[in-house]
Amino acid sequence: MIKKIRASLAILSLSIVGAQAADLVTHYPTPKEAVWTAKTFKFHTGETIENLKLGYTTVGDAKGIPVLFLHGTGGSGSGLIKPGFADELFGPGQALDASKYFVIMPDAIGTGQSSKPSDGLKAKFPLYNYDDMVLGQYRLITEGLGLKHLRLVMGNSMGGMQTWLWGIKYPDFMDALAPMASLPIEMSGRNWIMRRMLTDSIRQDPLWKNGDYTQQPPSAQFAITYFQFAMSGGNQGLYALAPTRAAADKLIAARMNVPFTGDANDLLYQWDSSRDYNPSADLEKIVAPVLMINSADDERNPPELGLDEQLKRIKNAKLHLIPASAKTSGHGTTGQARWWKNELSDFLKSIPKT
């Protein structure tokens, strides 16, 4: 009986310690969501929307040190508030401690609470690109939030590519840049081929009806699922999830059986928006120190495409390349902050504040 009591007390003690530890790593201010409206927003095509909604999520006090964090394709600012990411970054003593920093996570045009084709214009919505998205972010930061300088601009995947554009378009606006899961080269190779296959599969679906559909074309879910298997997960990571054909079939079924809650036009626009991304000619315009974070098993941005050669063109740039393993997940690796949070913290400590 005494042994059972002692065992129960030990389990209770471990539970309390575990709960306290969990509270410690997730203890950061409650995220806040808002929408700002940009008046007379002009797209690179020359088209305008008189009232363009730009959604965003913030963590921390608005008087804190401002940091801009940009999400990936199809994501949103609020989507960054997730285990393995926010709880690894925004807590006390962590790299972006929200008691010191004011972290701003915008919804890019076409995503989240920002204006998008599914709001009503469907395929008549301006065919936006990354330049338009970055302009929207800049107007939100400067006009909407009244900020004149950022400590850090950082982003993952699409957000990483847009981070490169921020460094080129607004070189003196930030102290530092940290692009992740991206390359500062033209959208090309497998990365563009797969995006083109994804968007074409939607356009060629008879139920798409040139964007004027009344029910979601089934190609949308199939295309994005196919794309994610081909372009994320990592060789070792996917094999760990599906080491047999039966396990692989089960994984496919699990992903295809998830209800598709998106919109085909939104999806098409999001993935097509990278079509003319090409910062390579202007890398010398970047003056802020750069910490480039990539993973060795990234299917979209393989390191053999010459990461070092690109970085040599920037005055102060370095690479943190995450080694591939069964625990990494290819292009999805950088979505787990544990692989780079320490390097980010050290990087920021090394950069003088301006």
Side-chain angles (χ1 to χ4, degrees), residues 155-192:
N156 190 36
S157 189
M158 177 183 79
M161 289 185 273
Q162 291 172 358
T163 298
W164 292 110
L165 295 180
W166 264 87
I168 291 167
K169 292 176 179 292
Y170 313 109
D172 298 317
F173 201 84
M174 73 292 294
D175 291 339
L177 297 162
M180 301 195 300
S182 63
L183 292 174
I185 61 175
E186 181 176 358
M187 179 57 64
S188 56
R190 182 182 290 110
N191 200 350
W192 176 245

mmCIF file of all heavy atoms in Angstrom, residues 155-192:
data_model
loop_
_atom_site.group_PDB
_atom_site.id
_atom_site.type_symbol
_atom_site.label_atom_id
_atom_site.label_comp_id
_atom_site.label_asym_id
_atom_site.label_seq_id
_atom_site.Cartn_x
_atom_site.Cartn_y
_atom_site.Cartn_z
ATOM 1 N N GLY A 155 11.200 35.450 -42.549
ATOM 2 C CA GLY A 155 10.080 34.742 -43.152
ATOM 3 C C GLY A 155 10.454 33.336 -43.542
ATOM 4 O O GLY A 155 11.635 32.997 -43.679
ATOM 5 N N ASN A 156 9.434 32.516 -43.723
ATOM 6 C CA ASN A 156 9.631 31.115 -44.041
ATOM 7 C C ASN A 156 9.009 30.786 -45.390
ATOM 8 O O ASN A 156 7.869 31.157 -45.668
ATOM 9 C CB ASN A 156 8.986 30.240 -42.950
ATOM 10 C CG ASN A 156 9.352 28.780 -43.089
ATOM 11 O OD1 ASN A 156 10.478 28.458 -43.474
ATOM 12 N ND2 ASN A 156 8.428 27.892 -42.806
ATOM 13 N N SER A 157 9.755 30.095 -46.256
ATOM 14 C CA SER A 157 9.269 29.664 -47.560
ATOM 15 C C SER A 157 8.890 30.890 -48.400
ATOM 16 O O SER A 157 9.762 31.692 -48.722
ATOM 17 C CB SER A 157 8.090 28.700 -47.377
ATOM 18 O OG SER A 157 7.733 28.096 -48.606
ATOM 19 N N MET A 158 7.622 31.078 -48.753
ATOM 20 C CA MET A 158 7.225 32.297 -49.463
ATOM 21 C C MET A 158 7.665 33.517 -48.670
ATOM 22 O O MET A 158 8.168 34.499 -49.238
ATOM 23 C CB MET A 158 5.715 32.329 -49.679
ATOM 24 C CG MET A 158 5.218 33.602 -50.348
ATOM 25 S SD MET A 158 3.419 33.673 -50.530
ATOM 26 C CE MET A 158 2.942 34.147 -48.848
ATOM 27 N N GLY A 159 7.496 33.459 -47.363
ATOM 28 C CA GLY A 159 7.930 34.561 -46.513
ATOM 29 C C GLY A 159 9.427 34.771 -46.573
ATOM 30 O O GLY A 159 9.924 35.902 -46.432
ATOM 31 N N GLY A 160 10.181 33.690 -46.779
ATOM 32 C CA GLY A 160 11.625 33.809 -46.941
ATOM 33 C C GLY A 160 11.970 34.534 -48.229
ATOM 34 O O GLY A 160 12.850 35.411 -48.255
ATOM 35 N N MET A 161 11.280 34.176 -49.296
ATOM 36 C CA MET A 161 11.516 34.859 -50.572
ATOM 37 C C MET A 161 11.157 36.339 -50.461
ATOM 38 O O MET A 161 11.855 37.201 -50.992
ATOM 39 C CB MET A 161 10.714 34.168 -51.681
ATOM 40 C CG MET A 161 11.252 32.789 -52.055
ATOM 41 S SD MET A 161 10.425 32.008 -53.465
ATOM 42 C CE MET A 161 9.051 31.191 -52.651
ATOM 43 N N GLN A 162 10.081 36.626 -49.753
ATOM 44 C CA GLN A 162 9.688 38.018 -49.583
ATOM 45 C C GLN A 162 10.658 38.772 -48.674
ATOM 46 O O GLN A 162 10.830 39.985 -48.815
ATOM 47 C CB GLN A 162 8.260 38.077 -49.042
ATOM 48 C CG GLN A 162 7.243 37.611 -50.075
ATOM 49 C CD GLN A 162 5.842 37.460 -49.532
ATOM 50 O OE1 GLN A 162 5.600 37.668 -48.345
ATOM 51 N NE2 GLN A 162 4.912 37.079 -50.385
ATOM 52 N N THR A 163 11.320 38.056 -47.776
ATOM 53 C CA THR A 163 12.349 38.684 -46.935
ATOM 54 C C THR A 163 13.499 39.201 -47.796
ATOM 55 O O THR A 163 14.019 40.301 -47.571
ATOM 56 C CB THR A 163 12.866 37.690 -45.889
ATOM 57 O OG1 THR A 163 11.781 37.299 -45.035
ATOM 58 C CG2 THR A 163 13.981 38.291 -45.045
ATOM 59 N N TRP A 164 13.896 38.412 -48.803
ATOM 60 C CA TRP A 164 14.933 38.875 -49.732
ATOM 61 C C TRP A 164 14.469 40.156 -50.422
ATOM 62 O O TRP A 164 15.259 41.109 -50.581
ATOM 63 C CB TRP A 164 15.227 37.809 -50.787
ATOM 64 C CG TRP A 164 15.894 36.572 -50.281
ATOM 65 C CD1 TRP A 164 15.347 35.319 -50.175
ATOM 66 C CD2 TRP A 164 17.249 36.437 -49.817
ATOM 67 N NE1 TRP A 164 16.263 34.427 -49.676
ATOM 68 C CE2 TRP A 164 17.440 35.077 -49.448
ATOM 69 C CE3 TRP A 164 18.305 37.334 -49.677
ATOM 70 C CZ2 TRP A 164 18.648 34.606 -48.942
ATOM 71 C CZ3 TRP A 164 19.524 36.862 -49.183
ATOM 72 C CH2 TRP A 164 19.679 35.509 -48.816
ATOM 73 N N LEU A 165 13.200 40.199 -50.839
ATOM 74 C CA LEU A 165 12.681 41.384 -51.528
ATOM 75 C C LEU A 165 12.643 42.599 -50.605
ATOM 76 O O LEU A 165 12.929 43.720 -51.038
ATOM 77 C CB LEU A 165 11.283 41.091 -52.073
ATOM 78 C CG LEU A 165 11.188 40.008 -53.164
ATOM 79 C CD1 LEU A 165 9.748 39.820 -53.610
ATOM 80 C CD2 LEU A 165 12.076 40.356 -54.360
ATOM 81 N N TRP A 166 12.310 42.385 -49.337
ATOM 82 C CA TRP A 166 12.336 43.487 -48.363
ATOM 83 C C TRP A 166 13.744 44.091 -48.293
ATOM 84 O O TRP A 166 13.907 45.304 -48.251
ATOM 85 C CB TRP A 166 11.917 42.978 -46.984
ATOM 86 C CG TRP A 166 10.475 43.193 -46.661
ATOM 87 C CD1 TRP A 166 9.433 42.372 -46.965
ATOM 88 C CD2 TRP A 166 9.918 44.312 -45.961
ATOM 89 N NE1 TRP A 166 8.252 42.904 -46.499
ATOM 90 C CE2 TRP A 166 8.523 44.090 -45.870
ATOM 91 C CE3 TRP A 166 10.443 45.460 -45.386
ATOM 92 C CZ2 TRP A 166 7.659 44.996 -45.241
ATOM 93 C CZ3 TRP A 166 9.585 46.362 -44.755
ATOM 94 C CH2 TRP A 166 8.212 46.126 -44.691
ATOM 95 N N GLY A 167 14.751 43.230 -48.253
ATOM 96 C CA GLY A 167 16.128 43.712 -48.155
ATOM 97 C C GLY A 167 16.557 44.512 -49.364
ATOM 98 O O GLY A 167 17.412 45.403 -49.264
ATOM 99 N N ILE A 168 15.959 44.203 -50.514
ATOM 100 C CA ILE A 168 16.292 44.911 -51.758
ATOM 101 C C ILE A 168 15.484 46.197 -51.903
ATOM 102 O O ILE A 168 16.021 47.251 -52.244
ATOM 103 C CB ILE A 168 16.044 43.982 -52.965
ATOM 104 C CG1 ILE A 168 17.072 42.846 -52.971
ATOM 105 C CG2 ILE A 168 16.094 44.756 -54.277
ATOM 106 C CD1 ILE A 168 16.750 41.715 -53.925
ATOM 107 N N LYS A 169 14.180 46.112 -51.635
ATOM 108 C CA LYS A 169 13.288 47.246 -51.844
ATOM 109 C C LYS A 169 13.416 48.318 -50.759
ATOM 110 O O LYS A 169 13.278 49.513 -51.027
ATOM 111 C CB LYS A 169 11.838 46.757 -51.920
ATOM 112 C CG LYS A 169 11.508 45.928 -53.154
ATOM 113 C CD LYS A 169 10.085 45.406 -53.098
ATOM 114 C CE LYS A 169 9.729 44.614 -54.326
ATOM 115 N NZ LYS A 169 9.651 45.473 -55.545
ATOM 116 N N TYR A 170 13.654 47.886 -49.534
ATOM 117 C CA TYR A 170 13.714 48.817 -48.401
ATOM 118 C C TYR A 170 14.984 48.539 -47.585
ATOM 119 O O TYR A 170 14.913 48.150 -46.416
ATOM 120 C CB TYR A 170 12.465 48.673 -47.531
ATOM 121 C CG TYR A 170 11.183 48.655 -48.335
ATOM 122 C CD1 TYR A 170 10.445 47.475 -48.470
ATOM 123 C CD2 TYR A 170 10.707 49.806 -48.974
ATOM 124 C CE1 TYR A 170 9.267 47.448 -49.218
ATOM 125 C CE2 TYR A 170 9.536 49.788 -49.716
ATOM 126 C CZ TYR A 170 8.825 48.605 -49.846
ATOM 127 O OH TYR A 170 7.660 48.586 -50.584
ATOM 128 N N PRO A 171 16.164 48.708 -48.178
ATOM 129 C CA PRO A 171 17.425 48.252 -47.566
ATOM 130 C C PRO A 171 17.764 48.867 -46.219
ATOM 131 O O PRO A 171 18.463 48.241 -45.420
ATOM 132 C CB PRO A 171 18.474 48.610 -48.622
ATOM 133 C CG PRO A 171 17.839 49.660 -49.470
ATOM 134 C CD PRO A 171 16.385 49.341 -49.487
ATOM 135 N N ASP A 172 17.285 50.083 -45.949
ATOM 136 C CA ASP A 172 17.627 50.749 -44.695
ATOM 137 C C ASP A 172 16.519 50.643 -43.651
ATOM 138 O O ASP A 172 16.612 51.261 -42.577
ATOM 139 C CB ASP A 172 17.919 52.237 -44.953
ATOM 140 C CG ASP A 172 19.107 52.436 -45.879
ATOM 141 O OD1 ASP A 172 20.111 51.723 -45.701
ATOM 142 O OD2 ASP A 172 19.018 53.284 -46.784
ATOM 143 N N PHE A 173 15.502 49.844 -43.931
ATOM 144 C CA PHE A 173 14.331 49.822 -43.057
ATOM 145 C C PHE A 173 14.476 48.825 -41.908
ATOM 146 O O PHE A 173 13.689 48.842 -40.976
ATOM 147 C CB PHE A 173 13.077 49.484 -43.880
ATOM 148 C CG PHE A 173 11.792 49.902 -43.228
ATOM 149 C CD1 PHE A 173 11.331 51.188 -43.370
ATOM 150 C CD2 PHE A 173 11.054 49.010 -42.465
ATOM 151 C CE1 PHE A 173 10.151 51.603 -42.762
ATOM 152 C CE2 PHE A 173 9.875 49.408 -41.842
ATOM 153 C CZ PHE A 173 9.420 50.713 -41.989
ATOM 154 N N MET A 174 15.474 47.963 -41.965
ATOM 155 C CA MET A 174 15.641 46.941 -40.932
ATOM 156 C C MET A 174 17.099 46.803 -40.526
ATOM 157 O O MET A 174 18.013 47.138 -41.278
ATOM 158 C CB MET A 174 15.104 45.589 -41.421
ATOM 159 C CG MET A 174 15.950 44.877 -42.464
ATOM 160 S SD MET A 174 16.049 45.645 -44.096
ATOM 161 C CE MET A 174 14.349 45.484 -44.636
ATOM 162 N N ASP A 175 17.304 46.291 -39.297
ATOM 163 C CA ASP A 175 18.660 46.020 -38.823
ATOM 164 C C ASP A 175 19.193 44.706 -39.374
ATOM 165 O O ASP A 175 20.407 44.559 -39.558
ATOM 166 C CB ASP A 175 18.686 45.931 -37.284
ATOM 167 C CG ASP A 175 18.428 47.265 -36.615
ATOM 168 O OD1 ASP A 175 18.615 48.316 -37.264
ATOM 169 O OD2 ASP A 175 18.019 47.261 -35.436
ATOM 170 N N ALA A 176 18.286 43.739 -39.594
ATOM 171 C CA ALA A 176 18.735 42.405 -39.973
ATOM 172 C C ALA A 176 17.663 41.681 -40.772
ATOM 173 O O ALA A 176 16.469 42.003 -40.696
ATOM 174 C CB ALA A 176 19.086 41.594 -38.724
ATOM 175 N N LEU A 177 18.109 40.680 -41.524
ATOM 176 C CA LEU A 177 17.230 39.847 -42.348
ATOM 177 C C LEU A 177 17.511 38.375 -42.051
ATOM 178 O O LEU A 177 18.669 37.984 -41.891
ATOM 179 C CB LEU A 177 17.479 40.103 -43.833
ATOM 180 C CG LEU A 177 17.200 41.503 -44.387
ATOM 181 C CD1 LEU A 177 17.904 41.687 -45.723
ATOM 182 C CD2 LEU A 177 15.704 41.709 -44.548
ATOM 183 N N ALA A 178 16.448 37.578 -41.980
ATOM 184 C CA ALA A 178 16.619 36.135 -41.776
ATOM 185 C C ALA A 178 15.647 35.374 -42.677
ATOM 186 O O ALA A 178 14.577 34.939 -42.241
ATOM 187 C CB ALA A 178 16.410 35.770 -40.307
ATOM 188 N N PRO A 179 16.005 35.205 -43.954
ATOM 189 C CA PRO A 179 15.161 34.428 -44.861
ATOM 190 C C PRO A 179 15.352 32.928 -44.634
ATOM 191 O O PRO A 179 16.483 32.452 -44.500
ATOM 192 C CB PRO A 179 15.669 34.848 -46.243
ATOM 193 C CG PRO A 179 17.100 35.236 -46.012
ATOM 194 C CD PRO A 179 17.184 35.790 -44.620
ATOM 195 N N MET A 180 14.241 32.190 -44.581
ATOM 196 C CA MET A 180 14.314 30.749 -44.347
ATOM 197 C C MET A 180 13.665 29.993 -45.514
ATOM 198 O O MET A 180 12.730 30.473 -46.146
ATOM 199 C CB MET A 180 13.583 30.372 -43.060
ATOM 200 C CG MET A 180 14.111 31.039 -41.810
ATOM 201 S SD MET A 180 13.500 30.241 -40.298
ATOM 202 C CE MET A 180 11.734 30.447 -40.470
ATOM 203 N N ALA A 181 14.164 28.780 -45.747
ATOM 204 C CA ALA A 181 13.591 27.872 -46.742
ATOM 205 C C ALA A 181 13.350 28.588 -48.060
ATOM 206 O O ALA A 181 12.258 28.528 -48.632
ATOM 207 C CB ALA A 181 12.298 27.247 -46.214
ATOM 208 N N SER A 182 14.370 29.262 -48.550
ATOM 209 C CA SER A 182 14.236 30.037 -49.780
ATOM 210 C C SER A 182 15.603 30.241 -50.406
ATOM 211 O O SER A 182 16.635 30.032 -49.760
ATOM 212 C CB SER A 182 13.600 31.400 -49.482
ATOM 213 O OG SER A 182 14.437 32.154 -48.619
ATOM 214 N N LEU A 183 15.597 30.658 -51.659
ATOM 215 C CA LEU A 183 16.820 31.014 -52.353
ATOM 216 C C LEU A 183 16.623 32.363 -53.038
ATOM 217 O O LEU A 183 15.524 32.659 -53.505
ATOM 218 C CB LEU A 183 17.174 29.962 -53.419
ATOM 219 C CG LEU A 183 17.587 28.571 -52.930
ATOM 220 C CD1 LEU A 183 17.764 27.634 -54.114
ATOM 221 C CD2 LEU A 183 18.858 28.642 -52.113
ATOM 222 N N PRO A 184 17.672 33.171 -53.140
ATOM 223 C CA PRO A 184 17.551 34.470 -53.809
ATOM 224 C C PRO A 184 17.830 34.355 -55.307
ATOM 225 O O PRO A 184 18.631 35.105 -55.877
ATOM 226 C CB PRO A 184 18.600 35.317 -53.094
ATOM 227 C CG PRO A 184 19.683 34.336 -52.769
ATOM 228 C CD PRO A 184 18.982 33.036 -52.478
ATOM 229 N N ILE A 185 17.174 33.388 -55.951
ATOM 230 C CA ILE A 185 17.366 33.170 -57.378
ATOM 231 C C ILE A 185 16.001 33.095 -58.055
ATOM 232 O O ILE A 185 14.965 33.010 -57.399
ATOM 233 C CB ILE A 185 18.154 31.872 -57.657
ATOM 234 C CG1 ILE A 185 17.390 30.652 -57.117
ATOM 235 C CG2 ILE A 185 19.552 31.948 -57.050
ATOM 236 C CD1 ILE A 185 18.038 29.320 -57.450
ATOM 237 N N GLU A 186 16.004 33.125 -59.369
ATOM 238 C CA GLU A 186 14.763 33.088 -60.140
ATOM 239 C C GLU A 186 13.946 31.833 -59.825
ATOM 240 O O GLU A 186 14.498 30.740 -59.657
ATOM 241 C CB GLU A 186 15.085 33.132 -61.637
ATOM 242 C CG GLU A 186 13.870 33.134 -62.539
ATOM 243 C CD GLU A 186 14.233 33.281 -64.010
ATOM 244 O OE1 GLU A 186 15.433 33.427 -64.316
ATOM 245 O OE2 GLU A 186 13.305 33.269 -64.841
ATOM 246 N N MET A 187 12.635 31.998 -59.749
ATOM 247 C CA MET A 187 11.751 30.844 -59.595
ATOM 248 C C MET A 187 11.894 29.969 -60.838
ATOM 249 O O MET A 187 11.562 30.396 -61.955
ATOM 250 C CB MET A 187 10.307 31.317 -59.431
ATOM 251 C CG MET A 187 9.292 30.208 -59.296
ATOM 252 S SD MET A 187 9.608 29.064 -57.926
ATOM 253 C CE MET A 187 9.433 30.161 -56.513
ATOM 254 N N SER A 188 12.391 28.761 -60.655
ATOM 255 C CA SER A 188 12.753 27.930 -61.807
ATOM 256 C C SER A 188 12.876 26.476 -61.365
ATOM 257 O O SER A 188 12.541 26.119 -60.233
ATOM 258 C CB SER A 188 14.087 28.420 -62.396
ATOM 259 O OG SER A 188 15.097 28.420 -61.386
ATOM 260 N N GLY A 189 13.377 25.629 -62.258
ATOM 261 C CA GLY A 189 13.638 24.232 -61.942
ATOM 262 C C GLY A 189 12.420 23.513 -61.391
ATOM 263 O O GLY A 189 11.276 23.819 -61.727
ATOM 264 N N ARG A 190 12.668 22.527 -60.537
ATOM 265 C CA ARG A 190 11.588 21.728 -59.956
ATOM 266 C C ARG A 190 10.601 22.590 -59.184
ATOM 267 O O ARG A 190 9.394 22.338 -59.198
ATOM 268 C CB ARG A 190 12.156 20.638 -59.045
ATOM 269 C CG ARG A 190 11.069 19.743 -58.439
ATOM 270 C CD ARG A 190 11.625 18.703 -57.493
ATOM 271 N NE ARG A 190 12.381 17.688 -58.204
ATOM 272 C CZ ARG A 190 13.708 17.545 -58.141
ATOM 273 N NH1 ARG A 190 14.417 18.367 -57.378
ATOM 274 N NH2 ARG A 190 14.312 16.592 -58.812
ATOM 275 N N ASN A 191 11.114 23.624 -58.525
ATOM 276 C CA ASN A 191 10.258 24.481 -57.718
ATOM 277 C C ASN A 191 9.142 25.090 -58.569
ATOM 278 O O ASN A 191 7.966 25.058 -58.194
ATOM 279 C CB ASN A 191 11.097 25.585 -57.068
ATOM 280 C CG ASN A 191 10.415 26.212 -55.865
ATOM 281 O OD1 ASN A 191 9.251 25.986 -55.586
ATOM 282 N ND2 ASN A 191 11.169 27.022 -55.140
ATOM 283 N N TRP A 192 9.506 25.662 -59.739
ATOM 284 C CA TRP A 192 8.477 26.247 -60.597
ATOM 285 C C TRP A 192 7.681 25.175 -61.341
ATOM 286 O O TRP A 192 6.465 25.304 -61.515
ATOM 287 C CB TRP A 192 9.075 27.223 -61.599
ATOM 288 C CG TRP A 192 8.014 27.738 -62.540
ATOM 289 C CD1 TRP A 192 7.929 27.540 -63.877
ATOM 290 C CD2 TRP A 192 6.852 28.497 -62.181
ATOM 291 N NE1 TRP A 192 6.803 28.129 -64.391
ATOM 292 C CE2 TRP A 192 6.122 28.725 -63.365
ATOM 293 C CE3 TRP A 192 6.360 29.006 -60.981
ATOM 294 C CZ2 TRP A 192 4.921 29.444 -63.382
ATOM 295 C CZ3 TRP A 192 5.165 29.719 -60.987
ATOM 296 C CH2 TRP A 192 4.460 29.934 -62.171
#
